[in-house]
Amino acid sequence: MRTIKTRHFTGTTDNTVTKRELENRKVARKAAAEGMVLLKNEGQLLPLKEGTKVALYGVGASRTIKGGTGSGDVNERETVTIFQGLKNAGFEITTEDWIEDYDRQYQAARYAWRDEIEEKASKLEDQVSGFFNIYSTTKFRMPAGAAITQTDADVAIYILSRVAGEGADRFDAEGDYYLTKEEKQQLSDICSMYKHVIVAVNTGGLADLSFMDEYSNIEALLQIVQPGMEAGNAFADIISGKVTPSGKMTDTWAYKYEDYPNSKTFSHNNGNVDKEYYTEGLYVGYRYFDSFDIPVRYGFGYGLSYTTFETKVLATELKENKKIVIETEVTNTGDTYSGKEVVELYATCPAGKLEKEYRRLVAFAKTGLLAPGQCEKLTLEIGLDKLTSYSEKEAAWILEKGTYVIWAGNSLEASAPCAVLNLDKEVVLTKTQNICPLKEELEEMKQSSEKMNQKLEALLKTAEEKKVPVMELKAADVETRVVEYRSNVECVPEEARKFVDTLSTEKLVALASGDPGKGQGSNLGSAGISVPGSAGETNNCALEDGVPGIVLADGPAGLRLMKHYNVHEGKIVNKPFKFSLEGGLFCEGEPADPGETYYQYCTAIPVGTLLAQTWDTALIEEVGEMIGGEMLEFSVTLWLAPGMNIHRNPLCGRNFEYYSEDPLLAGRMAGAMTNGVQNVPGCGTTIKHFACNNQEDNRMGSDSILSERTLREIYLKGFEIAITESQPMSIMTSYNLINGVHAANCEDTCTKAARCEWGFQGVIMTDWTTTEYGPDCTASGCMRAGNDLVMPGAFSDRDNLNQELADGTLSMEDLKACISRLVNITWQSMEFEDAAPYKKVK
C-alpha cells in the first residue's frame, strides 16, 4: 500500500541563510573552478601572488554573467561577481572608480532595455503568451564602459562577457561573436598601459579571439563560460592558485567563425530558419577539423595546468567480454602545485565501405588531486560499441574489417597511438530497423578518400615503428544483438497498466497533460502552483485513486523557483505575471503581498558547458546529488535537466545549457548528473531536448534535415549513452521537426530508439506548449508516438484527445500505454512516504 505524503508549503519563513545554502555553494564553487580552462599562461604569469594590485576592466567585472537567460535561469539569493571574488581573495583592485561608473551605465542600459520590451509587449493582444518571444528576441547589449585610464597595478584583467539565452540564436556580428569597436579600443589601451594582461571569456558560447594575435602582452587566457552564483570566488580560486586549473575544452575553438563547416547556412545566416540542412554530416566539431586538417586555435580536450604531468600507458588488453582495457599511470611531474589531469582516449577506425572521421573520443577519466611527485593509476574501458559505425543499408551498427588504432593523451592534439586492434571480418554488433528517413535529397560533406587513405597508411606505419601493442579480435567471437521492436502499447509496466484499466476515460485524458485549470499554458516556464515558480505540475485528477500530481522545475543551471512567495489565509497568493530587472524573466522583487512570506533560495550551479569542461563524472554526480537534495526540500519530483544537445555551431543561442560538440562526453556528463540526482529518493532528471534541438531561431517550426547515420552517430548517441548508463526518470522531446516529423510526434525516436533499442523505462514528455502551434503536432500524435505527457497542458489538448478517441484515429490502448508509464513514474516519486532512489527500482 503506497502512502501519499501530506503536502506542506515549501521553503522557510526565516530569511536567514541556511546551512544547506552554505554547503551547496561550496559544491557550486568547486565545480566552477574545476571547469574553468586555462588556455594560455606565458611566462607562468598565473597564479598571481596574494595582495597583487589588479586593474580590473570589462563588462563582466562587476556584472559577471552567471548563466544564460530563459528557462535555465535560477533565482538564487546572490551572485558573487569577479570584482567581489577578487576582493574576497585579498587582491587590491585599483579600478574601483571605473567599475562604479560602469555600474551606473549598466543600470541605465538595463532600464532602457526593459522599457523597449514593455513597449513592444503593450502592443500585443495577449501580453503574457507573446511576452517570452519579445523578451528572447530583444537582446540586451551590455554597455562597454568608460575609456581606459591607467592605474598603479601589477597586472590588468579584462573580462569579456556576452548574454545568450533561450529563444534566439546569436549573431556573427560585433557585440556578439566579435568585439565591438569600443571593446577593441579598450583592449588596445589596456595592452598599451599594462605590461601583463589577462583575459577571461565569460560568455554563453565561443567568441572571436583574433585579438589574441594582436597583443603579445595578453599572457594569460581563461575560458570561464558562465560559472554560476559562485563565479567570482571560483575565478579568484584559480587566479590565486588556491585551485590549480584542470578544465579541458569540450569544443573546438576555430581561428575564425568561417572555419566551422556550417557557418554559412546555420540558422539565420542564410535567411532560412525553416529548414536546417545538416550537410556537414558526421563532421561536427573536432571530427571536421581533425579529418580535414584545418588548423584550430584551441583544440578539443585542451587545457593547461599550473603543474605538469606525465601519462604512461602501462598495459592494453582485450578482455573476454570484448572490452578493450587501457591501464595508465599519471604522475604530477611538477615541483610546486598539486593538480588533476585528464586521460583521453580516441580511436581511428578503418576506412571501408563507410566513410569515417579520422578520430573520435571513446573513453576518458580524471585523476584525483595529485601532489608533486604523486602518481595515480587509471583504468579505462572501451566497449566495442564505441568503435561501430551505422550502416543505413544494413540497418545495423557494424564493425568493419581492418585495423583500429587507439590513441591516448591529455587532449586530442597531444594524443599518440597506444594500441591496435585487428578485426579479421566485418561484424554486425547490433541489428536494428531504419528510422527517421529523409524525405528530400541531402548532399553530405565528404573527404577525399585518397587523402584519408594516406593518413591511415602513415598512422599504421607509425604504430608499427613504435611497436604499439596489437590485439587480435575474431569476428566469430562477437555476438550480434538483434533488437526486439515492440509497439507503444507493448512497452508498458504491467502493474501500472492493470491500474490504468480502472480509470475513467475522463481521467485518462486529463492525466495525458498538465492541468490547464491552473493556467499553466499561459505562464511559459513558471506555471507551478503548489511550488511557486516551478515549471508545471501533472494533473492530480486521480488523487483519490492514489495518483497525485508531481511537480516539475526548470533547469539545467539549478532549480528555478520563485525566491519568495506569500501565504494568506492558508493559501498561496497567486501573483500576476511580472517582469523584473533583478535577474531573468521570472525574478521577483521584495515581497509586498499580504500574509506570511516563504523563501525558496536555490543554488545556481555553473552552466552545462562549464560543468562538462571538468571532465569529472564523480564531481558532476556530486553536483547532481546536491540538486536532488534541493528537489526533495522543495517537493520537486522532476528536474527539467540536463540539457545535452550537441554544440553543432557556436552561434546556437542555447549552447551554454548543453555540454559539448561530442556525444560521448555529453552522454557521460548527463549520465553522471542523472545518477547524482537519482541517488535522492523520489527525484529524477529529464534529459532534453530529444533530439536535434541545435538552433533557437524558429525552434517551434524548424526542420532538422539529416541522414539517419548522422542522426544516430552524433545527435542520438549522447541520449543513448545517458539512458544506458543512468536510466533517467524522464525525457523531454524537442520543438523542432526531424526529417519532416515533429520530435514530439516521432514514434521512431520515442518508441523504437529510446524504448526498444536503449531500454528506456521512464516517461517521455513534450517541451512546453509544443502542441499549441498548429495541427501538425498534436496531443494525440504524442500518444501514438509514445510521448506520454503533454506539458504544460491546455484545454485544446483535451479536446484533441477526446475528438481522436471518438474518431478512432487515437486508440484507447495507445492512450493507456502512455498513462501507464506516467503512473509508474508517479508511484516512484517523492510524493509517497516510502520513495526509494529511482535507479534501484526494478
Side-chain angles (χ1 to χ4, degrees):
M1 181 67 180
R2 299 178 178 88
T3 303
I4 299 175
K5 287 182 181 177
T6 301
R7 279 191 175 178
H8 303 282
F9 296 120
T10 56
T12 174
T13 56
D14 184 355
N15 197 25
T16 305
V17 176
T18 65
K19 180 181 179 181
R20 183 266 305 166
E21 287 182 80
L22 294 174
E23 291 303 311
N24 288 2
R25 289 183 71 154
K26 292 178 183 177
V27 177
R29 180 174 178 170
K30 178 168 65 172
E34 190 165 322
M36 293 180 181
V37 182
L38 180 64
L39 295 170
K40 183 179 182 181
N41 192 25
E42 286 189 1
Q44 300 300 303
L45 175 61
L46 293 174
L48 300 179
K49 294 180 181 179
E50 184 177 352
T52 297
K53 292 182 179 181
V54 174
L56 181 63
Y57 300 100
V59 301
S62 62
R63 297 289 174 172
T64 311
I65 301 174
K66 76 173 193 300
T69 61
S71 64
D73 201 4
V74 177
N75 299 326
E76 74 288 352
R77 185 184 289 266
E78 66 168 345
T79 292
V80 180
T81 68
I82 287 175
F83 173 53
Q84 293 169 318
L86 291 176
K87 290 186 71 173
N88 292 344
F91 292 103
E92 182 181 341
I93 307 301
T94 63
T95 52
E96 291 201 28
D97 289 344
W98 188 93
I99 290 170
E100 288 176 7
D101 180 71
Y102 180 78
D103 283 343
R104 288 190 289 270
Q105 290 188 36
Y106 177 91
Q107 204 62 36
R110 194 78 171 164
Y111 279 114
W113 173 65
R114 180 201 63 182
D115 293 345
E116 181 183 0
I117 290 174
E118 292 184 341
E119 180 183 359
K120 291 179 180 179
S122 68
K123 300 174 184 177
L124 294 170
E125 291 184 11
D126 183 345
Q127 293 188 21
V128 174
S129 61
F131 189 93
F132 186 84
N133 183 58
I134 288 176
Y135 163 79
S136 61
T137 56
T138 306
K139 294 289 187 181
F140 174 64
R141 302 294 187 189
M142 301 174 78
I148 303 300
T149 55
Q150 190 168 3
T151 64
D152 179 22
D154 305 307
V155 64
I157 300 178
Y158 186 79
I159 312 298
L160 171 63
S161 296
R162 290 288 186 271
V163 176
E166 180 180 4
D169 289 316
R170 298 171 58 209
F171 284 86
D172 176 22
E174 291 184 4
D176 197 337
Y177 191 79
Y178 295 99
L179 298 186
T180 63
K181 293 181 177 62
E182 293 84 359
E183 288 171 326
K184 289 178 181 178
Q185 186 62 54
Q186 286 177 340
L187 265 178
S188 177
D189 292 341
I190 290 169
C191 289
S192 68
M193 296 174 184
Y194 299 96
K195 183 178 180 181
H196 305 291
V197 179
I198 300 166
V199 171
V201 183
N202 170 218
T203 61
L206 301 182
D208 179 58
L209 293 180
S210 58
F211 61 84
M212 294 294 297
D213 302 324
E214 299 181 40
Y215 306 107
S216 60
N217 54 334
I218 300 180
E219 297 170 331
L221 176 68
L222 290 131
Q223 162 70 329
I224 67 171
V225 201
Q226 296 171 332
M229 66 187 297
E230 283 291 317
N233 287 331
F235 182 77
D237 288 343
I238 292 291
I239 292 295
S240 66
K242 181 178 179 180
V243 174
T244 297
S246 64
K248 303 285 185 178
M249 288 297 298
T250 67
D251 295 305
T252 304
W253 215 319
Y255 274 104
K256 56 184 184 296
Y257 175 69
E258 292 77 15
D259 287 343
Y260 293 99
N262 49 32
S263 59
K264 292 181 180 179
T265 60
F266 176 73
S267 187
H268 48 246
N269 286 351
N270 64 350
N272 179 8
V273 295
D274 295 321
K275 291 190 175 184
E276 187 72 9
Y277 294 93
Y278 288 48
T279 55
E280 72 278 6
L282 302 175
Y283 298 114
V284 178
Y286 71 87
R287 284 171 165 80
Y288 168 70
F289 294 96
D290 190 42
S291 300
F292 287 83
D293 297 317
I294 308 295
V296 300
R297 186 176 294 277
Y298 296 111
F300 182 80
Y302 176 79
L304 300 174
S305 174
Y306 294 153
T307 188
T308 55
F309 296 93
E310 180 184 38
T311 299
K312 293 180 180 178
V313 175
L314 302 179
T316 62
E317 183 180 1
L318 180 63
K319 295 285 191 179
E320 289 185 3
N321 62 2
K322 303 301 178 287
K323 287 188 176 181
I324 301 170
V325 177
I326 310 290
E327 185 179 345
T328 65
E329 183 179 72
V330 181
T331 304
N332 182 344
T333 55
D335 57 12
T336 306
Y337 299 102
S338 297
K340 298 181 179 181
E341 180 63 300
V342 178
V343 176
E344 305 167 25
L345 299 183
Y346 298 87
T348 297
C349 301
K353 59 188 178 185
L354 296 177
E355 184 173 333
K356 300 178 184 71
E357 70 281 273
Y358 184 54
R359 285 181 288 188
R360 67 174 72 159
L361 182 70
V362 291
F364 64 90
K366 192 168 189 176
T367 69
L369 189 65
L370 302 179
Q374 187 177 4
C375 65
E376 180 181 346
K377 291 183 179 179
L378 294 174
T379 301
L380 294 85
E381 289 188 344
I382 306 169
L384 292 182
D385 61 301
K386 302 300 186 295
L387 304 177
T388 59
S389 298
Y390 191 77
S391 168
E392 295 179 21
K393 183 178 180 180
E394 297 171 75
W397 290 96
I398 66 173
L399 292 164
E400 294 203 65
K401 173 185 176 181
T403 301
Y404 295 77
V405 179
I406 309 300
W407 306 62
N410 65 356
S411 70
L412 176 66
E413 182 182 14
S415 63
C418 70
V420 166
L421 175 72
N422 287 326
L423 176 63
D424 62 340
K425 295 179 182 179
E426 181 180 300
V427 171
V428 173
L429 195 64
T430 305
K431 184 71 176 73
T432 68
Q433 292 180 3
N434 293 116
I435 61 171
C436 303
L438 278 164
K439 293 182 173 61
E440 55 185 290
E441 289 187 7
L442 177 72
E443 186 174 347
E444 291 186 321
M445 178 180 293
K446 296 186 182 299
Q447 302 177 66
S448 160
S449 57
E450 181 181 356
K451 183 177 179 181
M452 180 53 66
N453 286 331
Q454 289 174 353
K455 289 178 69 171
L456 293 175
E457 288 172 9
L459 170 60
L460 296 179
K461 183 178 180 181
T462 298
E464 185 178 353
E465 290 174 350
K466 292 188 176 183
K467 298 181 179 179
V468 171
V470 178
M471 299 168 284
E472 301 291 340
L473 176 63
K474 301 290 186 183
D477 295 333
V478 181
E479 293 184 4
T480 297
R481 174 194 170 221
V482 179
V483 176
E484 178 186 354
Y485 287 93
R486 296 170 294 156
S487 67
N488 175 43
V489 300
E490 294 172 310
C491 300
V492 292
E494 185 176 347
E495 182 186 0
R497 180 63 179 80
K498 291 179 180 179
F499 167 80
V500 164
D501 279 336
T502 69
L503 298 178
S504 67
T505 299
E506 182 181 5
K507 286 183 178 179
L508 293 173
V509 168
L511 285 168
S513 67
D515 187 354
K518 294 178 179 177
Q520 296 186 132
S522 63
N523 286 313
L524 197 121
S526 187
I529 298 299
S530 62
V531 181
S534 58
E537 300 170 26
T538 61
N539 204 305
N540 67 354
C541 64
L543 179 62
E544 62 185 19
D545 303 290
V547 184
I550 58 174
V551 176
L552 297 73
D554 261 322
L559 294 185
R560 187 161 65 80
L561 305 176
M562 287 184 181
K563 287 184 181 181
H564 37 67
Y565 65 94
N566 279 27
V567 174
H568 183 57
E569 297 180 348
K571 295 182 179 180
I572 294 172
V573 178
N574 293 327
K575 297 182 180 181
F577 178 83
K578 184 176 182 181
F579 177 48
S580 169
L581 286 178
E582 188 178 340
L585 176 55
F586 301 108
C587 288
E588 293 295 321
E590 289 303 311
D593 298 291
E596 190 171 28
T597 302
Y598 284 73
Y599 298 91
Q600 302 182 121
Y601 294 110
C602 299
T603 306
I605 61 175
V607 295
T609 302
L610 189 143
L611 290 176
Q613 286 177 182
T614 68
W615 291 65
D616 190 334
T617 54
L619 176 57
I620 301 309
E621 187 165 337
E622 182 182 357
V623 172
E625 192 158 356
M626 177 201 81
I627 295 295
E630 293 192 1
M631 293 169 66
L632 193 62
E633 178 178 340
F634 294 115
S635 300
V636 173
T637 290
L638 290 177
W639 184 36
L640 303 180
M644 51 180 301
N645 292 105
I646 294 297
H647 292 173
R648 177 174 173 252
N649 185 282
L651 297 188
C652 175
R654 218 166 175 178
N655 272 353
F656 64 92
E657 287 195 16
Y658 307 142
Y659 291 129
S660 174
E661 65 189 22
D662 180 78
L664 174 71
L665 184 57
R668 290 204 59 202
M669 289 293 133
M673 185 68 81
T674 294
N675 285 333
V677 169
Q678 295 184 177
N679 281 337
V680 180
C683 298
T685 63
T686 306
I687 60 174
K688 64 181 189 182
H689 304 88
F690 188 55
C692 300
N693 190 154
N694 307 109
Q695 75 176 54
E696 286 297 292
D697 281 16
N698 189 32
R699 60 181 179 162
M700 297 281 188
S702 175
D703 189 359
S704 297
I705 299 168
L706 71 171
S707 68
E708 182 188 2
R709 183 184 176 194
T710 296
L711 174 67
R712 285 184 175 277
E713 292 194 23
I714 304 295
Y715 298 99
L716 295 184
K717 180 58 70 174
F719 289 95
E720 177 184 356
I721 291 168
I723 288 168
T724 55
E725 290 193 0
S726 67
Q727 195 57 241
M729 263 193 183
S730 61
I731 296 173
M732 180 189 289
T733 54
S734 52
Y735 288 126
N736 55 276
L737 295 80
I738 303 172
N739 290 336
V741 179
H742 277 278
N745 284 183
C746 185
E747 180 184 8
D748 281 0
T749 51
C750 293
T751 297
K752 287 186 176 180
R755 298 196 191 281
C756 299
E757 294 180 14
W758 312 334
F760 177 65
Q761 298 171 10
V763 68
I764 301 178
M765 71 180 74
T766 69
D767 204 340
W768 267 227
T769 73
T770 295
T771 58
E772 298 176 33
Y773 292 87
D776 58 336
C777 183
T778 64
S780 294
C782 290
M783 301 300 115
R784 285 189 291 269
N787 192 345
D788 311 305
L789 177 63
V790 179
M791 290 300 292
F795 289 113
S796 57
D797 293 321
R798 293 189 185 182
D799 293 341
N800 173 261
L801 292 168
N802 282 317
Q803 183 63 54
E804 295 212 27
L805 283 171
D807 294 345
T809 50
L810 172 64
S811 73
M812 182 59 72
E813 292 303 302
D814 272 323
L815 178 59
K816 284 185 175 181
C818 292
I819 303 308
S820 297
R821 292 187 288 263
L822 174 63
V823 167
N824 189 51
I825 289 299
T826 302
W827 279 346
Q828 297 172 52
S829 74
M830 67 170 63
E831 293 296 328
F832 293 87
E833 295 288 354
D834 58 349
Y838 175 69
K839 68 178 183 179
K840 295 180 182 178
V841 176
K842 301 297 183 183

